[in-house]
Every structure is written in structure tokens, then in C-alpha cells.
Amino acid sequence: MPNDINDLASRFPHDFAWGVATSAFQIEGAAFEDGKGESIWDRFCREPGVIADASNGDVACDHYHRLEQDLDLVASLGVDLYRFSISWPRVQPAGEGAWNEKGLAFYDRLVDGLLQRGLAPHVTLNHWDLPQALQDRGGWASRDTVHRFVDYALGIQRRLGDRLAAITTHNEPWVVAWLGHKEGSFAPGIRSRKVANQVAHHLLVSHGLALRALRAEGARARLGIVLNMAHTMPLTDSPEDAAVAKLDDALGRRWYADPLFKGRYPAEALAEFGDDAPQVQAGDMEVIATPLDFLGINYYSRHLSSARGPLRPEDKPCPKTDMGWEIYPEGLRELLLTMHRDYALPATYITENGGAFPDPVGADGRVHDADRTGYLATHIRAVGEALAQGVPMAGYMVWSLMDNFEWASGYAKRFGIVHVDYGTLERTPKDSALWFRDLVARCRAPRKTGA
Ligand code: FCB
């Protein structure tokens, strides 16, 4: 029984941390309230044609006004931790200078509310919603933003640091750099490979400098970064496809992990980028390689590489989620084993994993999302297999607590284990939420010896 819940639970130690994740822009709403500044996503959503359903984050899940109810929802799952992000423009509207007391007070209430419910706060500083005021002065392409980010990190630590379990600097720098500055499909919508690479470098430098500054000021929270990673595989066993897979892996996974763990960019990626490689100042690589307390990995699917160019749908044989992403849980185990082989990993968390499915509400008013439960079960099993093979896995977080604004896909793609009715904003736990709650409870339950 591959997905048997007791078998699954038995694969994890009692102190393995379970959680659910969200991000500020995707759930908070209240985009222009209580002194919040404009973010690059507020601005981007207003450009015609960039968001599939022409929606925006103005209301989102209205989490800003439903904080207590949502924290009760997290607590009802019986998890250990909640991963959320801080909206930089909500707490520092211009990205520098004056702080916004009402914004800071909101996160005070959030953190205190978690602690009161016995939940560990895992904060992300940058889940993509850069203050527009900084974008107007060059954004992540400008080296000055690196220093603005360090000041912001210190401001958050001074206000909340005594109560945080973990601080993540950046969520998925690849997405910010590549989708935001090379593809242009995400904010701020720039299309230049050279700019994208410089952005990636600035994100990494700002990460390292922030870690150093936070530690110098006595950080109590554990400090880390979250990277998105696919498991990259060649489409066929031809040597040509193998070569492309190796390069794709260097341009994606290793472009971030090599600097963080080895203090250098992969040589084959630098060669591929040529004149588009980033400008690196003396000392940058040492800063980037500042030791991490933890690494977060977001995994959704595998990546197939082919020398033939873009793949056709028939090249991707596995069942797919509503995003069109192949469901490939073995890839998560293989990715974790690869990471363990390549680097001296610190405590490693799956900080995001989950699937979008259509999720119709049944006649009984519930959402019977067996496909999502299956997705979660098989991927959690893969984490258990990696753990059994020595990968230092410390926790797993579902993306996401609730349906939310899925960036360029708008509200049509639902990743939540809790359903959100966007007409009434009512929250209804899906079957997958009840299953996840049961799994966490069974992981905690006393076990028979030898079981
Ligand atoms: C990740 C993002 C997260 C969510 C999931 C589906 O790339 O970090 O905010 O959108 O994808």
C-alpha cells in the first residue's frame, strides 16, 4: 500500500517538522490600506494581458482582515509551523527610510497569534513583492537594492526577531531573476538575459550580506534561503540529450546551489552566458557562501531536457496537474539524493510542494480532492525515502494553506488544501487538509517498538 497513511507516518521521526505555506501578496489583499506602499506585483497586475484572468492582489484571500480565523485554520491542522512572507512595502513603503507602524503591527499580531497557538513562525523576507519605489530606481538590477534589503532584514529582526523560529531571505531567486527579468512573464516584466543574471547575483549577494548582518546583531532565528528545483532528466538516452540535461541542471539548480555551498558559479553556465554573465565584485562569492542554518527546497515536477528544442505534450507522458506540470514524485527523491551527493547540506526542508487541481465543490459542500491527496502522499513518501538514505531532511510544508492568487495564472489555479470561495471568501478545508491533519497526528502518535 504505497499511500497507506500509517506506513507513511512510520517513515518520519517524531521531531520531523510539518507545516503549511503561503506568501503575502498571494493571500493578504488590503493592497492599499493602512499605509502600505505599492509593490511591483501591484503595478504588474495592472498591465493588460499579463495575468490570465486579469485579476490582481487587491483583495486576494482578504487574509489581512481575517488573520485570527486563518491562524485558527492553521492550528486546526495540528502542524508545527507556518511559513509566511512579509510584504516589504507594507512595513517600509518606499523600500528605505520610514517604517509603517500599522504594517509592522499586523506582523506582530501574526507572529504572536502563531506563538499563542503553539506554531513556529517561519518568515520569508522576499517572496517577490519588491517596493515599486525601489523598482523605479533599478530594482534588483541595481546594486543599491542589495543594501536596502539588508536594512529591511535588520528592521524586521529588530521588531520580530525575538519571536521568529526561522528567517528565509529569498524565495526562489531563479523565479525573480528568470521569469521576472529574462522571460518577463512575472513582475517586473523585463526581458534581458544579461539583466536577469545580474539580478540573480544581487539576490545572492543580498542574501549573504543579510545573513552576516543578522548574525552580527545576534539573530536568534535560524537563517536560510529557499530555492526552487526540478529534477532534470534527459528526454532520451542519447548523448545529445544527456549534454543538454547537464547544462540545464547547471543553469537552474547549480547556478544557485554552487555559489551558496561552493562559492563559485558553475563553469559551464558561465561559458553558456558569455557576455551575459553577471558582474562580480571582489569578495562577493565569499559573502554568498556564508554558511546556512537551513536550506529550503520547493519541488513541484521534473524537467525533461532535449537537444531537439521545446518539448511537445506527448513528450511528457506522466499525469499532469492543472498547471500542466508532470506529476513525478520519484524526482523529489532523486533531487534530494543529488543535493546530498553534491553538497554538505544543512538541515533541509521541503518548503513548498503541492498541486493545482480543478477542485469542484461537491453536492455535499465539500471538496473531494483525491488527486491532491495522492500527490501529497506520493511526494511525502519520496521525502521519507530520501531521509532513510541519509539526506538531512528536517521538515515538509504543503503549498498551500489555502487557494490564492497564483501569480500570472490569477485565481483559476487552486493549490490550497483549504478551498476559498472568491465570492464569499469562505474557507472550507478540502479532503486533503483532513488527510494531512491525520498524517501529522499519526506521526506524533506513540509507536509500537519495531514498527
Ligand atoms: C512557487 C511559488 C509559490 C507558488 C507556487 C505554486 O514558485 O514560490 O508562491 O506560486 O510556486
Side-chain angles (χ1 to χ4, degrees):
M1 285 272 278
N3 295 341
D4 176 73
I5 196 165
N6 288 314
D7 172 64
L8 209 48
S10 71
R11 293 166 183 269
F12 295 91
H14 281 113
D15 63 353
F16 190 82
W18 300 96
V20 286
T22 62
S23 89
F25 190 81
Q26 294 177 276
I27 66 166
E28 283 181 3
F32 304 101
E33 271 182 62
D34 286 349
K36 177 181 165 292
E38 187 187 18
S39 80
I40 57 173
W41 272 93
D42 291 315
R43 177 73 62 95
F44 188 65
C45 288
R46 278 163 173 78
E47 281 178 30
V50 299
I51 309 297
D53 57 4
S55 63
N56 56 51
D58 290 7
V59 176
C61 305
D62 198 33
H63 171 69
Y64 189 77
H65 298 118
R66 293 163 194 255
L67 179 62
E68 295 297 325
Q69 171 194 343
D70 287 344
L71 295 182
D72 285 345
L73 205 48
V74 179
S76 75
L77 299 170
V79 292
D80 304 284
L81 65 88
Y82 177 53
R83 174 176 182 252
F84 64 99
S85 78
I86 290 180
S87 158
W88 184 353
R90 192 181 292 292
V91 296
Q92 198 181 29
E96 64 179 333
W99 294 87
N100 177 30
E101 177 52 35
K102 285 187 176 163
L104 289 166
F106 170 72
Y107 295 107
D108 257 339
R109 290 201 304 279
L110 203 175
V111 169
D112 288 343
L114 288 171
L115 295 176
Q116 281 155 14
R117 290 167 177 84
L119 295 159
H122 281 227
V123 161
T124 302
L125 297 175
N126 173 27
H127 203 123
W128 310 350
D129 43 359
L130 184 77
Q132 179 63 38
L134 291 184
Q135 189 61 45
D136 294 342
R137 296 211 312 275
W140 287 112
S142 158
R143 188 139 178 139
D144 186 57
T145 299
V146 168
H147 303 291
R148 302 287 71 76
F149 179 76
V150 174
D151 290 346
Y152 158 57
L154 286 173
I156 293 302
Q157 166 156 285
R158 286 176 194 141
R159 179 69 177 237
L160 304 173
D162 57 332
R163 288 161 287 154
L164 300 177
I167 299 177
T168 291
T169 52
H170 300 294
N171 175 70
E172 303 190 347
W174 179 88
V175 170
V176 176
W178 207 253
L179 300 187
H181 297 81
K182 161 67 176 68
E183 302 291 330
S185 53
F186 278 18
I190 291 165
R191 290 196 172 85
S192 154
R193 188 171 79 159
K194 192 175 180 62
V195 172
N197 286 332
Q198 197 61 48
V199 164
H201 183 67
H202 288 159
L203 288 164
L204 288 172
V205 173
S206 72
H207 155 82
L209 286 177
L211 252 54
R212 290 181 175 197
L214 292 169
R215 287 199 179 119
E217 293 214 358
R220 291 176 54 186
R222 281 170 296 133
L223 308 177
I225 191 168
V226 166
L227 304 177
N228 56 298
M229 291 187 177
H231 174 56
T232 299
M233 300 168 70
L235 179 64
T236 69
D237 50 17
S238 74
E240 292 79 15
D241 283 0
V244 176
K246 193 162 182 295
L247 180 61
D248 285 348
D249 188 43
L251 298 173
R253 181 180 69 94
R254 290 181 49 218
W255 182 257
Y256 295 89
D258 275 15
L260 288 164
F261 292 108
K262 297 182 172 173
R264 57 171 190 263
Y265 286 112
E268 53 270 63
L270 287 173
E272 168 70 18
F273 289 142
D275 290 345
D276 288 347
Q279 287 178 350
V280 175
Q281 294 187 8
D284 281 0
M285 300 315 290
E286 291 75 19
V287 165
I288 294 171
T290 301
L292 299 167
D293 297 326
F294 70 90
L295 173 68
I297 294 177
N298 296 348
Y299 176 87
Y300 288 94
S301 190
R302 67 171 169 178
H303 172 81
L304 288 170
S305 298
S306 162
R308 224 184 38 214
L311 296 184
R312 303 159 305 192
E314 59 269 32
D315 293 327
K316 301 183 177 179
C318 297
K320 297 176 187 66
T321 68
D322 209 19
M323 297 295 279
W325 300 345
E326 274 188 300
I327 302 176
Y328 195 73
E330 303 82 356
L332 177 53
R333 180 192 60 229
E334 294 308 310
L335 169 69
L336 293 173
L337 292 173
T338 303
M339 289 297 290
H340 185 47
R341 181 199 66 208
D342 288 358
Y343 311 108
L345 292 180
T348 300
Y349 293 83
I350 296 303
T351 32
E352 287 181 24
N353 177 239
F357 295 96
D359 290 344
V361 179
D364 56 359
R366 295 182 41 196
V367 179
H368 301 295
D369 57 341
D371 33 16
R372 179 173 294 98
T373 302
Y375 182 103
L376 296 176
T378 49
H379 286 78
I380 290 171
R381 185 186 168 88
V383 176
E385 288 167 354
L387 184 64
Q389 293 188 52
V391 186
M393 298 308 302
Y396 173 96
M397 306 166 207
V398 176
W399 184 270
S400 176
L401 167 65
M402 58 183 151
D403 296 333
N404 58 50
F405 176 78
E406 180 45 39
W407 310 110
S409 306
Y411 292 97
K413 305 296 179 201
R414 294 178 176 272
F415 274 91
I417 57 174
V418 173
H419 180 268
V420 176
D421 177 326
Y422 292 115
T424 62
L425 293 166
E426 189 186 345
R427 282 88 158 119
T428 309
K430 304 176 191 177
D431 285 0
S432 57
L434 307 178
W435 175 86
F436 189 60
R437 183 194 65 191
D438 282 356
L439 174 71
V440 174
R442 282 169 212 233
C443 285
R444 302 259 176 62
R447 292 171 199 170
K448 286 187 228 130
T449 26

